[in-house]
Amino acid sequence: NDTLRVSLVNTEVNESAMLFPNPFSDRLNIIIISRTDRAVRITLTSTSGKQVISLRESLTAGENQITLNTSHLSTGMYIVNISGTNSPRAYSLIKIKR
């Protein structure tokens, strides 16, 4: 009589990110709380689909703050995508004049 044992492990990583201010003008702050050391890709895309900022950031376990210089961007709506080892996340933000 053979017995099969199955063990289920939750591999979902619940990490949080805060983007502020929204609306933003010259700078956009991103805080990512990471459970592990890892790298993420951060992209800022206009609603027309043009990628205006793309960077790779190395995170350490804990709180990581990233500041993007957005003074060169036109006013309008943008999408920030944060992708890494877990599910990618997207955030809608608005750029205003100062």
Side-chain angles (χ1 to χ4, degrees):
N1 189 2
D2 291 337
T3 304
L4 174 65
R5 291 182 185 248
V6 177
S7 176
L8 207 49
V9 177
N10 183 0
T11 57
E12 182 178 339
V13 178
N14 292 324
E15 296 178 321
S16 63
M18 295 181 295
L19 290 78
F20 63 93
N22 188 17
F24 65 95
S25 56
D26 294 337
R27 293 193 194 314
L28 176 61
N29 299 299
I30 302 170
I31 294 179
I32 301 173
I33 309 296
S34 180
R35 292 185 182 226
T36 60
D37 294 351
R38 65 189 180 96
V40 293
R41 167 78 49 196
I42 299 172
T43 57
L44 186 65
T45 307
S46 68
T47 54
S48 66
K50 182 179 178 185
Q51 190 173 5
V52 293
I53 295 177
S54 177
L55 55 106
R56 183 181 180 276
E57 286 288 325
S58 295
L59 303 180
T60 57
E63 183 176 301
N64 299 269
Q65 181 165 348
I66 302 153
T67 301
L68 302 179
N69 178 357
T70 56
S71 60
H72 64 286
L73 300 177
S74 302
T75 60
M77 186 171 219
Y78 291 87
I79 308 295
V80 174
N81 287 295
I82 302 173
S83 57
T85 56
N86 59 341
S87 338
R89 298 180 188 234
Y91 303 88
S92 297
L93 301 165
I94 297 172
K95 158 84 177 187
I96 59 172
K97 288 184 181 178
R98 190 144 182 77

